[in-house]
Amino acid sequence: MDSTILPTGRDPQEDRVHKAARVGVSALIPTQKVLRHSVRGQVLEALRAALVDGELVPGEIYSGPALGERFGVSATPVREAMQQLALEGAVECLPNRGFRVLERTPRALAELAEVRALIEVPVMLRLARTVPAGTWSALRPAAAATAEAAAAGDLAGYAEADRAFHREVLALDGNDQLVQVAEELHRRSQWPVPGAPRIRRADLVADAAEHAALLEALIVGNLPVVESLVREHFAGSAA
């Protein structure tokens, strides 16, 4: 096996698996084997991307062995990854059958948006009062990453970049538990609703623009604009 390491420090084969995860489970070629180390983590990443992309269809049942064949691994790491998704509320375990992807409702998304606002708005307002402008400016690359994924129409990539941006903002508060809870709520809010039209590239671009606008408001300490942008972002976020 070629042991060349990319400049990022990642193995070339791992990068290919990561790329496959970004385009969904259906794009994984059965002959493409994932690395034996951290197999569960790679499979979990791919399944999460497939949920966001709609490749794992709400209401459908998927078996560990069948998905294992698609990934080129045994059913064990797939089942382990699915069990993690069950803990996150994405799927339910069906004994001797597999895993059913849970169906979402617009009401559930609205409730998630409300809870996220209750948690993040006060934190961002507090940070806007105390964090120096230079620190906020350092987050511009994170906002730019969401814009790049949006421009490419990469839904799974956008979801990942979106979470990363919010994670970096909230991390400035220094509360690890807050970051973890907010990340979990954010991830749940990114799962699609059955029957809803696929998110368009224009929707992603508009959502990413809100990140840039929020960052500029935080830099200048404009609290009313910060609060307005965050609430609107949660209410109509594409991811």
Side-chain angles (χ1 to χ4, degrees):
M1 180 182 293
D2 183 3
S3 60
T4 302
I5 301 299
L6 298 179
T8 58
R10 297 178 61 163
D11 183 275
Q13 189 173 0
E14 184 178 359
D15 271 9
R16 289 194 292 271
V17 174
H18 180 71
K19 181 178 180 180
R22 295 281 293 276
V23 298
V25 171
S26 63
L28 290 171
I29 302 173
T31 57
Q32 176 65 57
K33 309 296 184 182
V34 297
L35 298 177
R36 291 309 303 170
H37 64 81
S38 64
V39 171
R40 174 185 173 278
Q42 294 179 62
V43 172
L44 178 59
E45 180 182 359
L47 291 173
R48 282 172 169 167
L51 278 169
V52 173
D53 277 334
E55 297 291 339
L56 290 180
V57 181
E60 292 293 322
I61 298 174
Y62 298 88
S63 73
L67 288 175
E69 287 183 11
R70 188 181 292 273
F71 282 101
V73 300
S74 70
T76 300
V78 175
R79 290 194 182 103
E80 292 173 346
M82 279 293 197
Q83 287 167 358
Q84 176 59 37
L85 291 177
L87 292 175
E88 295 174 3
V91 304
E92 65 175 332
C93 302
L94 302 176
N96 303 318
R97 296 182 65 191
F99 303 86
R100 177 188 287 123
V101 179
L102 294 177
E103 298 189 48
R104 311 292 305 289
T105 65
R107 178 182 176 85
L109 288 180
E111 290 174 349
L112 282 169
E114 181 180 0
V115 176
R116 288 184 67 198
L118 288 171
I119 293 175
E120 295 193 35
V121 169
V123 174
M124 289 195 186
L125 290 175
R126 181 167 66 247
L127 292 174
R129 297 186 186 97
T130 58
V131 174
T135 301
W136 290 123
S137 296
L139 268 61
R140 282 198 170 103
T146 68
E148 291 171 6
D154 182 356
L155 184 56
Y158 182 80
E160 183 178 338
D162 185 30
R163 290 196 312 276
F165 173 79
H166 284 264
R167 186 167 59 245
E168 288 193 36
V169 171
L170 295 176
L172 296 176
D173 190 60
N175 187 328
D176 292 340
Q177 297 302 315
L178 167 71
V179 174
Q180 291 177 22
V181 170
E183 174 95 356
E184 173 69 13
L185 292 170
H186 196 165
R187 189 185 299 281
R188 288 173 180 252
S189 73
Q190 293 173 328
W191 301 331
V193 174
R198 183 174 175 82
I199 296 175
R200 302 171 302 167
R201 180 180 303 181
D203 298 324
L204 295 179
V205 171
D207 204 65
E210 292 178 357
H211 292 142
L214 172 62
L215 192 55
E216 294 306 315
L218 288 166
I219 289 173
V220 300
N222 191 329
L223 272 61
V225 172
V226 168
E227 180 171 4
S228 176
L229 284 172
V230 175
R231 292 190 185 280
E232 291 175 5
H233 185 67
F234 290 160
S237 178

